[in-house]
Amino acid sequence: MAEKEATVYIVDVGLSMGKRHAGRKQSDIDWAMTYIWDKITSTVATERKTAVLGVIGLRTDGTANELEDEESFSHISVIQEISQILLPDLRRMRQAIKLSSTDEGDAISAVVIAIQMITKYCKKLKYQRKVVLVTDGCGSLDADGISEITKKIKEDAMELVVLGVDFDDFEYGFKEEDKEPGKYEQYMNMSTSCVIIAQKTNSKAILALSSVIHALFELESFAVARLVTKNDRPPMLVLLAPSIEIDYECLLDVQLPFAEDVRSYKFPALDRVVTVSGKVLKEHRNLPTAALSSAMSDYVDRMDLSGLGRDEEGNPTEYMALTDTFSPVLHRIDQAVRWRAIYPAEPVPPPYEILTRYSKPPEELQTKSKRLLDKLIAAADVKKVPPKLKGRKRNRDQVKPLSGLNVDELLGRRNKKAKISRENPIPEFKQMLEAAEDPNTIQEAAEQLSNIIEAQISESFGDSAYGQVVEELGVLREEMTDMDEPGLYNEFVRRLKHKLLADELGGDRREMWWEIKRGKLGLIEKGEGPRRSPLSVVTEGEAKQVCSVFVSSLQTLVNGRVVSHFKMIRAFQQ
């Protein structure tokens, strides 16, 4: 169960906070507010009514606090009373927190006001109480009564955090806190976690489920259950964990594997090759040589991360500890949402350094291992992938081998496929195009596939062949676009539409034209883009006109058999 929290942030907005230090482009106050907004928006994102906070401005131009009549509490303003913070409160605080024109104001007095606010709000209830002071230390510090203040903080078990802007001198006893996002607790599961709650109107179910939840919580145990979410659904094995909050209680379930879900696979050995006859080969083109294995071993040893980690005092420690690694996607999205809540019109800043720190090898290791990497590349005979050359002929991608060998001759492709069969039209159509060396072969391939498409439509029992026809039309359209022959496809589509509307392909096949339009397989338009061609002469208006079907072209059938026609008309009109 999450405990109740009450936090007061004291923000130093004095004139000295407008300066820039340590080579930063941001002023000290803007840099410090990055941390404050990060903490506040993280609290807002929890949507917990028991996580409350307040904000005090230190060294403000005016004075607004309960002790404002006393001189020592001047230039201190309560910007936000302790409460649950919502988005409108964030926007209002952003407008209120601005650099002042004075350096007057006592930090100790601001801490006293924060303690008073927490004591007044929390009373004697159990709360996690915290005061956070962010300052550059350039204001006044009145130490009178410091012992009583310390005593009060200890009695109320209150936490005081002082964050100094550029407090790098250790004699102060403070160190600037790392502004990293909250740690992301990681779980291993088979599915997304779900929540199980009782029906709000079923008091019997609420009582029964509550008993189970509290029993598991008190015993610090989990439960394993069989879950069937709907009728006729196969059962799932789930792990149930209790969760108790102030406002609700529930069971969290995560799917567990059945025995048949755990599968074992056998893969070929990496250190030997076994032939069909059973002979074991230790030397083979697919096996690493001794030199390659040695080079790889040396490179891996040099890239070892185990001795790279250092703590704040320079002592050896674990590198890339699990508690220091975070989900970049999760926290990047969270960062963007929180930033947009505070700054609606400003661009989102780059990701936190802690999120990208482990996205690439350390430069120190890359420098040290450069010589071994070159040795490994030489041992493995690594070659640069040849660039794809855009052939002048039909804009086809052609790979020029480094060896200069004729790959077609090696693979026996000299005999061109002269005829496309109806049993395997798409692969054979593509093979014929690959072997094409002149426009006549491309035109012949397009005509053969076009004839097959028309025959399939004519012989289709109802709409049984329409799906295959749509797939073949898609391939024909894509290939003709890539081969810079949009005219061949456009001519066929016009001819096909005429035959469909004239019932020349085995009767009334007008529904086939609706499938063509729905699949966006109309004419290839002129222009740039994945579905256009600069060599086409068809404008956008012409393409839309060809794809349209006019009501006047549909003949009404007798005995009320016009339902499918009206459905098709409405589909085209939409």
Side-chain angles (χ1 to χ4, degrees):
M1 183 188 302
E3 297 187 21
K4 294 183 284 188
E5 304 172 5
T7 305
V8 174
Y9 294 94
I10 304 174
V11 183
D12 190 344
V13 296
L15 185 61
S16 62
M17 289 286 286
K19 299 179 181 178
R20 295 178 175 86
H21 294 93
R24 292 189 297 267
K25 296 182 179 179
Q26 293 175 297
S27 64
D28 290 348
I29 187 172
D30 290 337
W31 191 56
M33 286 308 300
T34 303
Y35 169 82
I36 296 295
W37 290 131
D38 185 82
K39 291 296 184 182
I40 292 178
T41 52
S42 295
T43 302
V44 173
T46 65
E47 298 182 348
R48 288 171 47 207
K49 295 181 180 180
T50 55
V52 296
L53 59 88
V55 178
I56 297 176
L58 170 61
R59 297 198 288 170
T60 57
D61 289 323
T63 303
N65 62 78
E66 291 186 355
L67 303 176
E68 59 185 14
D69 295 335
E70 300 183 29
E71 184 178 356
S72 58
F73 292 95
S74 61
H75 297 286
I76 300 174
S77 301
V78 177
I79 298 174
Q80 172 67 47
E81 294 286 353
I82 296 179
S83 66
Q84 182 188 11
I85 304 300
L86 302 176
L87 186 58
D89 301 316
L90 285 176
R91 301 281 171 83
R92 183 180 56 79
M93 282 191 291
R94 186 198 169 198
Q95 298 297 325
I97 300 177
K98 294 182 179 179
L99 191 71
S100 71
S101 58
T102 181
D103 280 330
E104 298 294 328
D106 180 63
I108 301 297
S109 299
V111 173
V112 172
I113 295 175
I115 294 174
Q116 184 182 17
M117 291 173 60
I118 293 177
T119 303
K120 181 180 178 181
Y121 182 88
C122 299
K123 299 181 176 62
K124 297 295 183 180
L125 300 176
K126 186 178 180 181
Y127 269 86
Q128 287 185 350
R129 309 172 187 216
K130 187 176 183 180
V131 177
V132 180
L133 170 62
V134 180
T135 178
D136 61 359
C138 294
S140 61
L141 292 173
D142 185 359
D144 290 343
I146 193 68
S147 58
E148 289 79 6
I149 298 173
T150 304
K151 182 180 179 181
K152 178 63 176 176
I153 290 176
K154 291 182 178 180
E155 286 178 352
D156 292 352
M158 197 175 299
E159 182 183 2
L160 174 61
V161 178
V162 179
L163 298 175
V165 178
D166 295 322
F167 275 20
D168 296 329
D169 195 335
F170 286 100
E171 74 176 76
Y172 284 96
F174 304 115
K175 184 176 181 182
E176 183 182 344
E177 186 174 302
D178 188 15
K179 303 176 184 61
E180 66 182 46
K183 287 178 170 52
Y184 175 62
E185 193 170 1
Q186 301 182 4
Y187 298 90
M188 309 295 290
N189 49 46
M190 280 190 63
S191 66
T192 303
S193 299
C194 298
V195 175
I196 298 177
I197 58 175
Q199 290 178 324
K200 293 183 178 181
T201 58
N202 192 334
S203 58
K204 186 176 180 180
I206 294 175
L207 180 61
L209 184 63
S210 178
S211 301
V212 174
I213 294 172
H214 282 267
L216 291 174
F217 183 82
E218 293 172 5
L219 294 174
E220 297 182 351
S221 301
F222 293 160
V224 177
R226 190 181 70 167
L227 176 64
V228 179
T229 56
K230 292 183 180 179
N231 291 336
D232 300 326
R233 285 281 183 90
M236 295 187 300
L237 192 65
V238 295
L239 180 72
L240 302 178
S243 177
I244 302 178
E245 301 290 341
I246 295 295
D247 301 327
Y248 70 95
E249 54 190 26
C250 65
L251 287 174
L252 304 176
D253 72 85
V254 178
Q255 185 178 354
L256 298 176
F258 284 103
E260 58 267 22
D261 293 327
V262 181
R263 300 167 184 165
S264 300
Y265 296 94
K266 292 184 178 180
F267 296 94
L270 298 177
D271 59 345
R272 63 187 181 277
V273 173
V274 181
T275 64
V276 178
S277 61
K279 184 179 180 181
V280 178
L281 302 178
K282 292 292 185 178
E283 295 183 0
H284 190 268
R285 60 184 178 86
N286 293 335
L287 297 177
T289 62
L292 177 57
S293 298
S294 176
M296 178 62 75
S297 178
D298 294 341
Y299 178 68
V300 171
D301 291 341
R302 184 58 61 87
M303 291 293 290
D304 184 14
L305 298 172
S306 59
L308 200 64
R310 292 290 185 274
D311 60 15
E312 296 177 352
E313 299 178 357
N315 300 319
T317 187
E318 180 184 5
Y319 179 81
M320 197 176 173
L322 184 61
T323 55
D324 293 333
T325 57
F326 310 94
S327 169
V329 174
L330 178 66
H331 287 290
R332 176 58 174 164
I333 293 176
D334 183 60
Q335 176 193 9
V337 170
R338 288 187 277 109
W339 179 269
R340 185 60 70 235
I342 305 299
Y343 307 102
E346 297 184 17
V348 179
Y352 296 118
E353 186 274 336
I354 188 65
L355 297 180
T356 59
R357 180 180 301 171
Y358 304 116
S359 63
K360 54 185 179 299
E363 293 184 4
E364 176 184 350
L365 288 185
Q366 293 188 64
T367 302
K368 291 182 178 180
S369 61
K370 179 64 169 61
R371 181 181 60 84
L372 294 177
L373 177 61
D374 294 337
K375 181 180 178 181
L376 175 62
I377 293 174
D381 193 23
V382 177
K383 291 184 174 63
K384 185 178 180 180
V385 176
K388 287 187 176 181
L389 303 178
K390 286 289 184 179
R392 178 178 176 272
K393 185 185 69 174
R394 306 298 175 242
N395 205 24
R396 266 245 188 249
D397 288 341
Q398 297 178 350
V399 178
K400 183 179 180 180
L402 295 176
S403 62
L405 298 176
N406 190 323
V407 178
D408 288 337
E409 290 185 357
L410 294 176
L411 298 179
R413 295 179 180 172
R414 293 186 62 85
N415 295 327
K416 310 298 188 302
K417 187 72 176 180
K419 185 174 178 59
I420 301 174
S421 66
R422 290 188 57 175
E423 292 76 18
N424 197 27
I426 292 180
E428 294 179 4
F429 172 67
K430 291 184 176 181
Q431 292 173 6
M432 191 170 181
L433 291 181
E434 289 178 0
E437 296 180 353
D438 55 76
N440 293 333
T441 306
I442 298 174
Q443 182 177 359
E444 181 183 352
E447 289 179 354
Q448 288 191 36
L449 185 59
S450 300
N451 293 335
I452 291 175
I453 290 174
E454 291 183 356
Q456 289 172 334
I457 296 175
S458 299
E459 300 172 10
S460 174
F461 182 76
D463 60 355
S464 60
Y466 289 0
Q468 183 178 357
V469 169
V470 168
E471 182 182 5
E472 293 166 354
L473 273 172
V475 172
L476 179 60
R477 191 183 197 279
E478 179 182 0
E479 292 295 334
M480 292 300 100
T481 303
D482 292 344
M483 299 290 284
D484 289 343
E485 291 288 354
L488 295 178
Y489 179 81
N490 291 341
E491 180 183 353
F492 169 64
V493 169
R494 286 192 176 96
R495 185 172 70 249
L496 180 63
K497 176 191 175 182
H498 173 76
K499 292 183 178 180
L500 288 173
L501 298 183
D503 296 344
E504 296 180 4
L505 296 178
D508 184 5
R509 299 290 185 181
R510 304 178 198 190
E511 190 174 345
M512 182 69 242
W513 184 251
W514 178 78
E515 295 287 348
I516 293 174
K517 181 178 180 181
R518 188 175 68 169
K520 298 181 180 180
L521 299 175
L523 300 182
I524 301 174
E525 302 174 18
K526 181 178 181 63
E528 300 292 338
R531 299 184 58 82
R532 299 169 180 254
S533 172
L535 300 182
S536 176
V537 296
V538 177
T539 64
E540 183 178 357
E542 291 174 334
K544 289 182 178 180
Q545 183 180 6
V546 171
C547 277
S548 64
V549 174
F550 300 100
V551 177
S552 60
S553 66
L554 299 176
Q555 298 179 354
T556 304
L557 302 180
V558 296
N559 299 329
R561 293 164 59 189
V562 295
V563 177
S564 62
H565 288 179
F566 285 131
K567 286 183 179 179
M568 187 164 61
I569 295 170
R570 292 182 62 188
F572 284 120
Q573 290 174 341
Q574 293 173 355

